[in-house]
Amino acid sequence: MRIIVVDNYEEMSKKAANMVASQVILKPNSVLGLATGDTPVGMYEEIISLYKNEEVDFSKVKTFNLDEYYGLSKENPQSYYYYMMNHLFNHVNIDENNINIPNGMVDNIESECKNYDKRIVEVGGIDLQVLGIGVNGHIGFNEPDISFESETHLVNLDEKTIESNSRFFNSKEEVPTKAISMGIKTIMHSKKIILLACGNSKANAIFETINGKINPNMPASILQLHRDVVVIVDKEAASKLNLE
Ligand code: GLP
C-alpha cells in the first residue's frame, strides 16, 4: 500500500481527481469503479473542473458504482443513483449507457447481483476503483464479518452504518436497512484502488486497515493483500498510523 498523508480535504480531493483523470487520459475507455458518501464529493468537483478545462474526456469511460440502497428509487434524493447524477454524471460527457449502478428496486435481487458481476467481467474488469471507508471499516457496503469471497450481493446494514448515514435522512427510521453492494472479491479484482478518508472519525478504521491484522471484522483490511492500492488520508484520519 502506498500511503499519502495530506493537509486537508481539498488536497485529498485534488490528488484523487488527478489520479482518476490520469487513468482516463492514459486509457480513454477506462472502467472506473465509483464511490458515494461525503468523502468523494470534493474529488468529483475537481474532476468536473478538469473536464470543463478540456483536460479529460469521459465519452468512452464506463463506470460501475459500488452500491445502492435497497428499496430506494432513482428519483429518491438519498439514492446513490441520484447522488451520482448530481455530483458527477450530469456535468461530464459520459454516455448514459456506460453508467452502471445496482438497481435497488428490482424484484429479483439475485439475478441483479449476478448480472452486475457479469457486466464487470464482460468489460474487462475495473481499471481503477475509488473507495471511501465507513467508521466501522466497511468498503462499499461490505459490513464487518463479511466473507472476503463475496461478490455483488444484498447486505443488511450494520447499526453503526445506519446511525452514521442517518445524517442524510430526516430520521434514523428512514435509512434503508439493506443495500446491494459490490462484494470484496469484486473490489479486490480491480486493477488499481484509491482509498480516501478524512477526519478523526475515520482514524481508527484507517489504522486497523493499514496497521492491523487482516480480519473480516475490519473489511478494508483485506486491501493489504491488493498489489496496487494508494491510500490518500488527511492528517486527522492518519493520526493513529504508524508510518515508519
Ligand atoms: C457509505 C458508502 C460507502 C462510503 C462510506 C463512507 O455508507 N456505502 O461507499 O465509503 O459509507 O461515507 P462517508 O464518505 O460519507 O464518510
Side-chain angles (χ1 to χ4, degrees), residues 35-40 66-67 69 80 131-135 138-141 157 161 164-165 167-168 196 198 201-202:
T36 52
D38 274 338
T39 311
L66 280 168
D67 44 20
Y69 287 115
Y80 287 163
L131 294 176
I133 186 167
V135 285
H138 76 219
I139 46 178
F141 267 135
L157 298 180
T161 302
S164 162
N165 288 5
R167 68 190 191 277
F168 300 112
L196 306 177
C198 59
S201 67
K202 303 290 173 71

